[in-house]
Amino acid sequence: GGLVYGGTMLGLNELWYKQYTRSGFHFFNDNEEWLQIDKAGHVHSAYFESVWSINSFKWAGLSSSKAAFLGGGVGFLYQSTIELLDGFSEKWGASSGDIISNAMGSSLAMVQELAWQEQRIYVKYSFHPVVYDDDQLNERAKKLYGSSLYETFLKDYNGQTYWISLNMAPFFKSAKIPDWLNMAIGYSADGMYGGFKNVWEENGTEIIRDDVPRIRQYYLSFDINLAKLDPGSRVIKTLLSLLNHVKVPFSALSFDNKNGFRFHPIFF
């Protein structure tokens, strides 16, 4: 764990932060950026890292309670170290909103382990490629989010959805719901071509695209709890547990203030 943590942070510093001017440690208020999709991403990442840290400590022989506290702490530390690097970068700054989001994700993993010795409420992620029909917006999106599938998968906030996926069987035992079936509530946003608003500079000219609405989107869908499946192989079960932080494609009902209610036969 120490080697992975240290190696990751050294690599991140060399590949990313070393390119930018350093400064004294400072904070930057980005809580209104990206319609808070980035904050949802921090919750998801901290949750994911905490769950895997908890499972690692349990595998190593620690009790469930010790694993919960240590794993939650490691997940929070791992994700929040990025705020330290941001804080010493002139281009960015540490974000109190990011730190709070990290604490929320780690706490959700830790509290469930303490209460139930398992995860029943998952934070999950899904992504769909966005087609930008407007040439100007397409070029802007490439500069912001990249052009390859790998880049957009990680960076395109317009294509990301974050989910709270509830394993229903433990809460509704009399209903005889399959233990692998989850109910999921999702949040995403669209129309974002800048952190705070759709305004940017291009070749010294200010571009204003207030005609493109920035909208919040909400989803209701089913999900599959891959951790509850028994494939008969320890290796495959571990892989399924890893994939369990990604929402399984399913039919979904969405709502936003531009299109109202819509049904999606398959949404990811």
Side-chain angles (χ1 to χ4, degrees):
L3 287 172
V4 170
Y5 172 78
T8 300
M9 293 307 156
L10 283 172
L12 188 62
N13 181 66
E14 289 294 317
L15 294 172
W16 187 260
Y17 291 96
K18 196 174 180 179
Q19 305 174 46
Y20 300 99
T21 305
R22 300 297 174 96
S23 69
F25 185 81
H26 63 287
F27 279 85
F28 171 67
N29 185 356
D30 65 347
N31 294 331
E32 299 301 320
E33 280 193 319
W34 309 112
L35 297 179
Q36 293 78 52
I37 285 292
D38 60 322
K39 301 298 178 280
H42 275 268
V43 173
H44 173 262
S45 297
Y47 173 80
F48 170 85
E49 290 154 4
S50 296
V51 167
W52 273 83
S53 297
I54 289 170
N55 291 339
S56 297
F57 283 122
K58 289 171 69 175
W59 170 85
L62 273 68
S63 67
S64 181
S65 59
K66 287 182 179 179
F69 284 111
L70 283 171
V74 167
F76 176 76
L77 174 66
Y78 194 96
Q79 189 65 26
S80 295
T81 302
I82 296 174
E83 296 309 310
L84 188 64
L85 295 172
D86 280 348
F88 284 107
S89 176
E90 190 177 272
K91 185 176 176 62
W92 295 283
S95 165
S96 59
D98 288 353
I99 295 171
I100 291 170
S101 298
N102 296 341
M104 290 173 61
S106 295
S107 297
L108 179 61
M110 182 176 67
V111 168
Q112 291 188 83
E113 183 63 34
L114 289 171
W116 303 316
Q117 292 75 57
E118 65 175 356
Q119 300 296 306
R120 298 180 182 179
I121 304 170
Y122 297 82
V123 183
K124 296 195 175 188
Y125 168 87
S126 68
F127 173 79
H128 60 273
V130 180
V131 177
Y132 296 97
D133 295 326
D134 185 302
D135 289 340
Q136 186 180 61
L137 296 181
N138 184 51
E139 288 303 311
R140 174 61 175 168
K142 286 181 180 179
K143 290 179 180 178
L144 278 175
Y145 309 126
S147 54
S148 69
L149 182 61
Y150 172 75
E151 287 179 301
T152 55
F153 180 83
L154 294 174
K155 296 165 63 177
D156 192 345
Y157 290 135
N158 292 318
Q160 297 177 1
T161 306
Y162 291 93
W163 305 82
I164 294 296
S165 183
L166 173 70
N167 189 218
M168 296 184 290
F171 298 104
F172 305 100
K173 295 180 180 179
S174 61
K176 296 181 180 180
I177 299 171
D179 62 358
W180 48 263
L181 184 63
N182 284 18
M183 178 65 73
I185 299 173
Y187 172 65
S188 68
D190 194 18
M192 297 181 292
Y193 301 94
F196 295 97
K197 53 187 178 180
N198 294 337
V199 177
W200 66 93
E201 281 195 7
E202 194 171 293
N203 298 323
T205 302
E206 185 179 49
I207 307 298
I208 302 175
R209 292 301 304 265
D210 288 339
D211 59 302
V212 181
R214 298 162 68 94
I215 59 174
R216 302 177 187 272
Q217 300 167 319
Y218 305 92
Y219 296 87
L220 182 65
S221 180
F222 287 108
D223 186 29
I224 295 176
N225 189 348
L226 299 177
K228 293 294 185 180
L229 301 180
D230 186 6
S233 166
R234 188 172 179 177
V235 174
I236 295 177
K237 188 171 180 63
T238 300
L239 290 175
L240 288 176
S241 295
L242 180 63
L243 290 172
N244 203 38
H245 294 280
V246 177
K247 166 77 167 60
V248 174
F250 236 107
S251 299
L253 180 67
S254 70
F255 174 80
D256 62 62
N257 55 11
K258 177 183 178 183
N259 302 297
F261 286 99
R262 288 190 298 169
F263 177 74
H264 308 264
I266 291 291
F267 182 83
F268 184 62

